[in-house]
Amino acid sequence: MGFCSTAQGNICNWMHRYIDQRKYAGSALLICQNGQEVFFHACGHRSIENNLRFQRDSLVRIYSMTKPVTSVALMMLVEQGLFHLDAPLSDFLPEFASMQALIPGATRIDQTEDAPSPSLHQLLTHTSGLSYPFNLGVLPMAMDELDLIFSPQQGPLADRVKLLAQLPLAFQPGARWEYAVGIDVIGHVIEVVTGKSLDVFLAEHIFQPLEMTETAFSVPSGAGDRFASLYTPLEGNAMALGAAKTGSETLRLFDSHGKSPFEAATTFSGGGGLVSTIDDYSKFAEMLRNKGTGKGARLLGQKTVEFMFYNHLPGDIASMGPQSFAEQPMDGTGFGIGGAVVLNPARARCPGSVGDFGWGGMASTYFWIDPVNHLSTVFFTQLSPSSSYPSRAELKALVHSALVD
């Protein structure tokens, strides 16, 4: 299966149309097949206010595309035999030993019942009972009041996690699927097990071996003018999905070089804190596509990556009663370790291959690996929230239309 040069024009036209319609300020797309680059295009601006073009070396906030990176880090420790995925969180963080969960239909944060400590596996697969402040419900409201979003300048990860442990779970572990801060907690588990801060562990064991020289929790020194501005079509907080309203300006500046918390991070959010370039993240995606190997280094065993790509839910996400925001379709889509897995493209209502694995970020970034057609695709832009436009489904359709015998 090859990549049709004629159809590439449709992809470029689509990217420029988003710019012309002021949906995105700028974007970049990198596609590799069988380990070789087959498409790259960048257009628009990384900073409208400073008239700076979106380029290949532009740095962006990848938000939840951090989750697969942290998940790989945990699986590296699993491969060392240091613990197993069914281990309760309380084995590592004793503050989670005596847990409570909201009773079904609870309307107050004190309406709880006893609950077991979530397992590492439940944290990884968003079935732990944790949540996000931007979801709907009693627990998200309590998290919002405490600003438990794990943003870059909230201090040590350990302090954030201890505060989170004081709240009940939204439901009994394993009962539902709800997009959550569980992988932020996993980040702190990695710190406890290794004795290293998460930024150091990721740098030493993932970024350096893969030569990802511009991926970190803070914008690299001297690279600030390459750091893309973040925009939103919302009037209020770009992350407050339940409260913010669409404004008249589709590209309202929300965060930019010179005043961004991502330029001096103090909280190493394993669920959403990294910044990266498209080439750096493509190296990570290619490592997964190659089942654990990249840049001459083996990070994970082949069978471990295959295990990560399985659906770890009893059915698709939709069958588990989600009540939360999600980065991907829920019908016909399962969840593996660190990302979504396509079970049925027809049910997901998006062209693709069974087994496609990937995830996106709040600023509308997206990546996926197609193991059938040997593709890795990385799309970067900077607009929050990612639910603003159906760009991911449109992009997948465009890429699959370019595949020919």
Side-chain angles (χ1 to χ4, degrees):
M1 188 69 72
F3 203 72
C4 173
S5 58
T6 303
Q8 294 182 29
N10 291 334
I11 298 175
C12 292
N13 291 340
W14 172 81
M15 293 175 69
H16 283 271
R17 189 161 58 248
Y18 262 75
I19 307 304
D20 294 342
Q21 295 174 353
R22 289 185 59 81
K23 292 180 176 179
Y24 293 156
S27 66
L29 176 65
L30 176 58
I31 304 173
C32 295
Q33 187 173 39
N34 294 310
Q36 300 297 314
E37 180 179 322
V38 294
F39 180 89
F40 173 79
H41 186 65
C43 58
H45 292 84
R46 69 179 184 270
S47 171
I48 296 173
E49 56 278 10
N50 293 313
N51 194 31
L52 298 175
R53 305 297 296 177
F54 204 109
Q55 296 175 319
R56 188 159 188 151
D57 64 352
S58 294
L59 286 151
V60 308
R61 305 153 193 78
I62 64 171
Y63 286 118
S64 288
M65 281 169 61
T66 305
K67 289 179 170 68
V69 179
T70 304
S71 298
V72 163
L74 189 83
M75 294 309 298
M76 294 172 78
L77 301 179
V78 169
E79 283 196 333
Q80 295 177 33
L82 297 176
F83 47 78
H84 59 95
L85 292 182
D86 280 334
L89 179 58
S90 55
D91 281 2
F92 312 91
L93 307 178
E95 57 265 38
F96 287 90
S98 299
M99 295 301 298
Q100 293 284 301
L102 295 172
I103 62 173
T107 57
R108 301 192 317 270
I109 198 68
D110 61 350
Q111 294 176 310
T112 63
E113 58 188 5
D114 291 342
S117 181
S119 69
L120 300 182
H121 186 265
Q122 289 165 337
L123 291 165
L124 288 166
T125 57
H126 301 287
T127 59
S128 65
L130 296 174
S131 191
Y132 261 118
F134 49 68
N135 290 331
L136 300 176
V138 175
L139 177 60
M141 288 179 62
M143 292 178 69
D144 190 44
E145 290 175 1
L146 295 173
D147 199 21
L148 274 170
I149 192 66
F150 292 84
S151 59
Q153 290 186 332
Q154 293 191 317
L157 188 54
D159 294 346
R160 294 280 91 192
V161 171
K162 286 177 181 177
L163 185 59
L164 178 68
Q166 297 175 19
L167 296 174
L169 301 172
F171 49 85
Q172 291 287 339
R176 291 209 320 259
W177 190 95
E178 183 157 323
Y179 200 39
V181 298
I183 300 182
D184 284 293
V185 179
I186 288 291
H188 186 43
V189 169
I190 292 169
E191 292 183 329
V192 169
V193 171
T194 65
K196 297 180 178 181
S197 63
L198 185 60
D199 62 328
V200 171
F201 185 84
L202 296 185
E204 291 180 350
H205 295 275
I206 297 179
F207 304 149
Q208 290 173 15
L210 293 181
E211 300 176 13
M212 297 171 64
T213 59
E214 296 195 297
T215 303
F217 287 106
S218 295
V219 176
S221 177
D225 63 343
R226 291 191 285 115
F227 186 41
S229 296
L230 177 65
Y231 299 92
T232 181
L234 304 180
E235 290 182 351
N237 188 331
M239 310 297 166
L241 301 184
K245 298 184 182 300
T246 301
S248 58
E249 173 55 71
T250 58
L251 292 172
R252 180 175 67 83
L253 181 63
F254 187 73
D255 183 50
S256 61
H257 165 50
K259 54 185 177 182
S260 174
F262 286 91
E263 292 176 290
T266 59
T267 304
F268 306 133
S269 167
L274 290 174
V275 298
S276 189
T277 63
I278 200 165
D279 279 299
D280 260 23
Y281 203 87
S282 182
K283 294 172 187 175
F284 176 77
E286 276 291 291
M287 179 276 295
L288 289 176
R289 189 191 64 80
N290 284 319
K291 298 184 178 180
T293 301
K295 293 295 179 181
R298 177 164 289 282
L299 273 64
L300 288 173
Q302 175 179 331
K303 293 300 181 181
T304 299
V305 177
E306 291 173 357
F307 169 80
M308 293 174 68
F309 284 12
Y310 284 121
N311 178 30
H312 286 244
L313 306 180
D316 62 8
I317 296 173
S319 70
M320 296 198 67
Q323 301 177 15
S324 62
F325 170 82
E327 303 282 5
Q328 304 286 129
M330 296 184 179
D331 293 313
T333 303
F335 203 84
I337 301 296
V341 183
V342 174
L343 307 177
N344 185 331
R347 288 274 296 146
R349 296 176 297 281
C350 182
S353 300
V354 173
D356 281 359
F357 178 91
W359 202 239
M362 183 64 91
S364 304
T365 58
Y366 182 42
F367 92 103
W368 83 90
I369 295 153
D370 180 342
V372 175
N373 295 298
H374 313 290
L375 289 175
S376 66
T377 302
V378 183
F379 178 71
F380 274 7
T381 188
Q382 291 287 268
L383 186 95
S384 182
S386 58
S387 55
S388 299
Y389 308 109
S391 58
R392 294 173 184 173
E394 292 170 355
L395 177 58
K396 285 202 78 174
L398 284 161
V399 171
H400 276 266
S401 74
L403 294 171
V404 293
D405 290 327

